[in-house]
């Protein structure tokens, strides 16, 4: 079998961290082409093109400073050129850009191409919930797996031990991606429950916003533990309603719980929510100040989930998810967040 060409679609903090892993792994396997294209949205940094800096200094100085990227990872500013000849596409971009980018990629896709999404988020489609992998699958007409886990990008780049999950409807593809992405310190479990894995990767960020509210209000770890537990219950209930096929409790307890806990204690969504309480600035203002190339998915995901719940007349069944949205975007007092915990259906 000819070696498969890999293209990483995205080059932010998470994308550059993954590029470190992929760049080294492809050189150790006959399955993959040793040269990897990484699509980079071109920016000027101190008068120089970011792609030029990456390709000469082998460092993404804006989004992953202090880390050397493998020399076989080549930054390409034109998406058509980046995906040319690629049989494996790794998507690591903010979810709001995925639809338009897929339209640009589509003419350059050949048969047998497969993809994997590392994008945390969901969309509201005409029939309700829309997973990002479904958008890619439908736009490009390729098989798409997902990777989600307790993976803070900077810690992955620092090669600190962590676990992650690949959801793959096609088991053979799941193991191809495991070979491409696993390292001694980035351990992967492959499961078939792709939709559940992806949905939880998005929903956990809403819970992390609630955890950040607790920190900003000084509620302490006992309250945060309650938020995590109640948030997990809402995640399970939401998945049972909206996922295709049965939802296994093992997927949550064995694979997703660590992701949820990590995000609620160390993630960016928790950080922006704490700052929202302490500074009284809007979510939009804080995202502009704190982003630096990173994406705060929790508030936006809460808005997308709220729209879906409202359309299904299920807002009251998910008080924590709903409260996060109403506080972030509709002027509900953040101090009232504790009320949604006190009066949660789990306590009735």
């Amino acid at each position: 079998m000819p070696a498969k060409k890999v293209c990483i679609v995205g080059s932010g903090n998470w994308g550059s961290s993954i590029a470190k892993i992929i760049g080294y792994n492809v050189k150790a396997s006959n399955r993959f082409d040793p040269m990897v294209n990484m699509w980079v949205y071109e920016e000027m940094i101190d008068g120089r093109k970011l792609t030029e800096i990456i390709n000469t200094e082998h460092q993404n100085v804006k989004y992953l400073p202090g880390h050397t990227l493998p020399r076989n990872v080549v930054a390409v500013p034109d998406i058509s050129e980046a995906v040319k000849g690629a049989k494996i596409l790794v998507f690591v971009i903010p979810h709001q850009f995925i639809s338009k980018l897929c339209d640009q990629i589509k003419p350059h896709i050949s048969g047998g191409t497969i993809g994997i999404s590392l994008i945390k988020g969901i969309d509201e489609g005409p029939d309700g919930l829309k997973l990002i992998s479904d958008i890619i699958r439908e736009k490009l007409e390729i098989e798409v797996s997902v990777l989600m886990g307790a993976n803070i990008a900077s810690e992955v780049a620092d090669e600190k031990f962590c676990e992650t999950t690949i959801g793959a409807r096609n088991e053979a593809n799941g193991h191809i991606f495991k070979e491409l992405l696993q390292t001694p310190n980035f351990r992967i479990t492959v499961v078939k429950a792709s939709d559940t894995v992806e949905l939880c990767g998005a929903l956990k960020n809403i819970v992390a916003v609630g955890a950040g509210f607790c920190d900003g209000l000084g509620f302490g770890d006992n309250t945060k533990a309650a938020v995590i537990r109640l948030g997990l219950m809402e995640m399970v209930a939401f998945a049972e309603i909206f996922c295709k096929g049965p939802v296994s409790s093992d997927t949550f307890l064995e694979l997703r719980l660590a992701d949820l806990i990590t995000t609620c204690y160390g993630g960016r969504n928790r950080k922006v929510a704490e700052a929202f309480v302490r500074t009284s600035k809007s979510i939009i203002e804080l995202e502009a100040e704190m982003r630096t190339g990173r994406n705060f998915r929790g508030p936006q995901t809460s808005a997308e989930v709220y729209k879906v719940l409202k359309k299904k007349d299920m807002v009251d069944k998910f008080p924590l998810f709903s409260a996060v949205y109403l506080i972030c975007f509709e002027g509900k007092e953040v101090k009232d967040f504790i009320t949604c915990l006190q009066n949660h259906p789990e306590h009735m």
Side-chain angles (χ1 to χ4, degrees), residues 172-202:
N173 288 351
H175 289 288
I176 290 172
F177 289 122
K178 182 172 181 175
E179 183 178 340
L180 178 67
L181 293 161
Q182 181 164 266
T183 74
N185 286 319
F186 191 65
R187 306 306 294 179
I188 293 172
T189 300
V190 179
V191 301
K192 294 193 73 173
S194 177
D195 289 354
T196 303
V197 169
E198 182 174 5
L199 189 56
C200 290

Side-chain angles (χ1 to χ4, degrees), residues 92-120:
V92 206
I93 58 172
H95 98 286
Q96 61 265 33
F97 303 124
I98 191 63
S99 185
K100 183 178 178 180
L101 206 59
C102 282
D103 289 338
Q104 295 175 260
I105 291 171
K106 174 62 174 172
H108 309 284
I109 294 297
S110 58
T113 301
I114 59 175
I116 186 166
S117 171
L118 281 65
I119 301 169
K120 297 177 176 69

Side-chain angles (χ1 to χ4, degrees), residues 151-155 205 208 211-212 215 224 228 258-272 294 296:
N151 310 141
I152 294 173
S154 59
E155 295 186 11
N205 288 325
D215 290 339
K224 187 190 282 192
I228 292 172
D259 192 4
L260 178 61
I261 292 170
T262 299
T263 306
C264 287
Y265 277 91
R268 298 189 302 272
N269 290 283
R270 186 217 62 79
K271 184 178 179 181
V272 75
R294 305 177 186 186
F296 299 109

Side-chain angles (χ1 to χ4, degrees), residues 69 72 93 99 115 132 142 147 183 208 216 221 233 243 295 298 313 343:
L69 298 178
N72 59 322
I93 58 172
S99 185
I132 303 306
I142 63 174
L147 181 145
T183 74
D221 284 340
M233 294 301 101
C243 276
N295 199 21
D313 197 24
N343 299 327

Side-chain angles (χ1 to χ4, degrees), residues 73-93:
V73 174
V74 180
V76 182
D78 182 87
I79 187 61
S80 303
E81 187 65 29
V83 302
K84 186 181 295 182
K87 290 296 184 182
I88 296 178
L89 302 176
V90 181
F91 293 92
V92 206
I93 58 172

